[in-house]
């Protein structure tokens, strides 16, 4: 299976371990990732220029369509933006005509058929939990963990179609087959605070502190992410004195699943949890 890999703008600069572990995981599962000259998904421009925001996404779809490939991304912000732009392109005829003209200037076109897949929905829907479970031969210790779903994948459901926005469950199902045990907590579907980090840092960190407190109160050892922005946000706070009291370690899902599948630890990135060396058969 071949898919166009859309890492987004931040992963190569701020979270290379996500890139490394994502690629290793896809290789293990037999997915051939193709890297294309994608531009930004367009989300950062949405508040200042609706059309630039949408065209940024549509241009990426057109590039993937040129090679007859669907797109996969590990970033829920990028996933949400690409789904949003696709929806707008399909629903707004005038907008579609303007986008098509802009694409034509670059000898590109898009027929609306390219699909955008997020890592989690791809694993759950395209490969399947049972198939992945069959490949796990290095179960991890039963550490307690909570999930950070990420806002842009869940809402609005009519556009993203990712999972039940009020009671999602695919993330927990995928984590539980690794040996880790997910626990319920009150803030799994709430924003991590990263989208407003640059405009209102104090509020952003206040939001995240409340999430870490709730995660700690649930009895969890770790908080698991499958989104570039969420992991960056937790990394920002995880080393601050004010948050050490929560004793919660953020971890990438790609590293957890990769460890359970027996991927060599050096292929999961430099920032690895020590528990990955405590695998049990």
């Amino acid at each position: 299976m071949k898919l166009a890999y859309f890492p987004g703008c931040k992963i190569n600069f701020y979270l290379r371990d996500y890139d490394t572990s994502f690629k290793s995981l896809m290789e293990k599962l037999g997915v051939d990732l193709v890297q294309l000259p994608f531009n930004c998904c367009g989300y950062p421009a949405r508040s200042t220029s609706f059309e630039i925001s949408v065209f940024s996404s549509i241009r990426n779809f057109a590039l993937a369509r040129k090679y007859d490939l669907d797109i996969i991304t590990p970033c829920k912000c990028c996933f949400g933006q690409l789904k949003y732009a696709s929806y707008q392109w399909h629903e707004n005829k005038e907008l579609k005509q303007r986008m098509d003209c802009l694409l034509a200037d670059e000898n590109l076109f898009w027929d609306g058929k390219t699909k955008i897949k997020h890592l989690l929905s791809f694993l759950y829907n395209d490969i399947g939990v049972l198939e992945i479970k069959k490949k796990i031969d290095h179960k991890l210790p039963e550490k307690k963990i909570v999930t950070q779903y990420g806002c842009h994948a869940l809402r609005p459901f009519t556009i993203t179609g990712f999972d039940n926005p009020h009671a999602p469950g695919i993330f927990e199902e995928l984590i539980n087959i690794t040996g880790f045990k997910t626990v319920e907590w009150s803030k799994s579907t709430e924003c991590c605070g990263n989208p407003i980090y640059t405009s209102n840092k104090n509020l952003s960190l206040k939001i995240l502190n409340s999430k870490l407190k709730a995660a700690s109160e649930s009895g969890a050892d770790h908080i698991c992410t499958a989104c570039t922005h969420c992991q960056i946000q937790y990394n920002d706070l995880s080393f601050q004195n004010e948050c050490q009291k929560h004793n919660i370690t953020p971890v990438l899902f790609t590293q957890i699943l990769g460890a359970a599948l027996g991927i060599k630890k050096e292929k999961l990135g430099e920032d690895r949890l020590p528990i990955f060396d405590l695998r049990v058969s």
Side-chain angles (χ1 to χ4, degrees):
M1 179 186 297
K2 283 188 178 183
L3 293 169
Y5 173 36
F6 192 91
C9 300
K10 291 191 173 184
I11 194 170
N12 288 321
F13 295 96
Y14 301 107
L15 205 59
R16 291 185 179 179
D17 285 345
Y18 201 10
D19 176 68
T20 300
S21 56
F22 174 81
K23 288 177 178 177
S24 298
L25 179 60
M26 292 296 102
E27 180 183 7
K28 181 73 173 182
L29 294 174
V31 179
D32 185 9
L33 296 177
V34 179
Q35 302 213 226
L36 300 177
F38 288 131
N39 49 258
C40 175
C41 70
Y43 177 76
R46 196 192 291 189
S47 61
T48 56
S49 175
F50 169 74
E51 288 202 4
I52 289 176
S53 173
V54 172
F55 179 69
S56 295
S57 289
I58 299 304
R59 185 180 184 277
N60 289 319
F61 280 124
L63 285 172
R65 186 69 183 93
K66 184 177 180 180
Y67 296 92
D68 197 24
L69 295 171
D70 287 330
I71 301 172
I72 187 170
T73 181
C75 179
K76 287 180 181 162
C77 181
C78 293
F79 170 79
Q81 169 63 22
L82 288 162
K83 292 286 282 188
Y84 172 80
S86 174
Y87 176 85
Q88 296 296 336
W89 185 90
H90 280 92
E91 295 296 317
N92 188 327
K93 291 183 179 180
E94 291 184 3
L95 177 68
K96 177 184 179 300
Q97 290 174 350
R98 292 196 293 273
M99 298 295 103
D100 290 348
C101 288
L102 291 171
L103 289 176
D105 290 340
E106 300 185 55
N107 293 318
L108 293 172
F109 82 98
W110 189 46
D111 56 8
K113 294 182 179 180
T114 311
K115 295 178 182 178
I116 171 65
K117 304 170 185 285
H118 181 264
L119 164 67
L120 295 185
S121 55
F122 170 73
L123 293 175
Y124 190 84
N125 297 315
D126 293 63
I127 295 183
V129 175
L130 292 180
E131 286 302 311
I132 298 172
K133 188 175 182 179
K134 292 176 184 177
K135 300 177 184 296
I136 290 178
D137 53 7
H138 293 76
K139 280 231 172 177
L140 301 178
E142 290 189 9
K143 292 284 187 176
K144 293 181 180 179
I145 194 165
V146 292
T147 57
Q148 166 67 48
Y149 264 90
C151 311
H152 298 275
L154 290 175
R155 298 180 286 271
F157 176 76
T158 53
I159 291 177
T160 65
F162 178 79
D163 197 357
N164 185 332
H166 305 294
I170 68 173
F171 203 177
E172 286 83 356
E173 286 192 51
L174 287 165
I175 289 175
N176 286 333
I177 63 175
T178 68
F180 274 28
K181 297 301 178 184
T182 57
V183 294
E184 291 187 10
W185 68 312
S186 61
K187 296 181 180 291
S188 66
T189 62
E190 291 187 13
C191 180
C192 67
N194 187 259
I196 61 169
Y197 186 86
T198 55
S199 60
N200 193 333
K201 183 176 180 179
N202 288 336
L203 178 58
S204 174
L205 298 186
K206 184 177 180 180
I207 291 171
L208 189 48
N209 262 308
S210 72
K211 290 181 70 74
L212 288 171
K213 182 175 183 293
S216 179
E217 290 173 349
S218 75
D221 301 295
H222 308 288
I223 186 164
C224 187
T225 71
C227 176
T228 308
H229 290 258
C230 291
Q231 185 70 20
I232 289 173
Q233 181 79 334
Y234 283 113
N235 283 351
D236 185 273
L237 273 183
S238 62
F239 300 109
Q240 294 187 21
N241 291 332
E242 61 183 292
C243 295
Q244 290 179 354
K245 61 184 179 182
H246 298 304
N247 197 30
I248 295 289
T249 306
V251 58
L252 290 161
F253 173 66
T254 45
Q255 292 180 321
I256 291 176
L257 183 56
L261 289 170
I263 297 175
K264 293 181 179 179
K265 57 185 180 181
E266 59 267 23
K267 298 186 72 175
L268 295 175
E270 296 178 359
D271 185 16
R272 300 180 303 273
L273 287 178
I275 55 172
F276 288 173
D277 296 325
L278 303 177
R279 299 164 175 160
V280 295
S281 58

